[in-house]
């Protein structure tokens, strides 16, 4: 795993605002950051169809790549038998 810094210029972020992420590559770092961002803000902006572009920098090499991230919310339904009350 490598260390990355990920930030979103669409949100007004610059590199120094970025979050540090451990990931296998630039793309997985973008996915990890996007999921954490949606969970942290509780607005699920990305999963609700508001994809964005992320800038991802590998700390060791300084290589910077950009990724368009998107997601979709998938509801899960559960059922449990209710015991007879008599």
């Amino acid at each position: 795993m490598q260390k990355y810094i990920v930030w979103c210029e669409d949100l007004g972020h610059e590199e120094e605002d970025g979050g540090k992420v451990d990931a296998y590559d630039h793309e997985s770092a973008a996915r990890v950051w996007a999921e954490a961002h949606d969970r942290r803000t509780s607005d699920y902006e990305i999963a609700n169809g508001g994809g964005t572009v992320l800038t991802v920098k590998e700390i060791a090499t300084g290589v910077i790549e950009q990724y368009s991230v998107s997601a979709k919310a998938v509801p899960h339904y559960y059922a449990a038998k209710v015991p007879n009350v008599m």
Side-chain angles (χ1 to χ4, degrees):
M1 290 241 233
Q2 302 297 321
K3 295 196 179 295
Y4 296 86
I5 298 174
V6 183
W7 65 95
C8 181
E9 294 175 9
D10 290 344
L11 296 175
H13 298 166
E14 296 179 1
E15 182 177 345
E16 44 283 343
D17 303 316
K20 291 185 180 173
V21 173
D22 291 330
Y24 294 104
D25 56 23
H26 285 80
E27 181 181 349
S28 60
R31 288 194 314 265
V32 167
W33 186 94
E35 184 177 346
H37 171 75
D38 266 4
R39 194 174 44 247
R40 186 174 52 254
T41 63
S42 299
D43 291 334
Y44 293 92
E45 299 165 334
I46 297 169
N48 284 330
T52 192
V53 174
L54 300 178
T55 304
V56 182
K57 178 180 180 180
E58 185 177 4
I59 294 173
T61 63
V63 174
I64 295 175
E65 297 179 359
Q66 288 192 312
Y67 288 86
S68 175
V69 294
S70 60
K72 60 181 176 178
V74 180
H76 293 276
Y77 296 89
Y78 304 91
K81 184 176 180 178
V82 177
N84 292 335
V85 180
M86 295 190 154

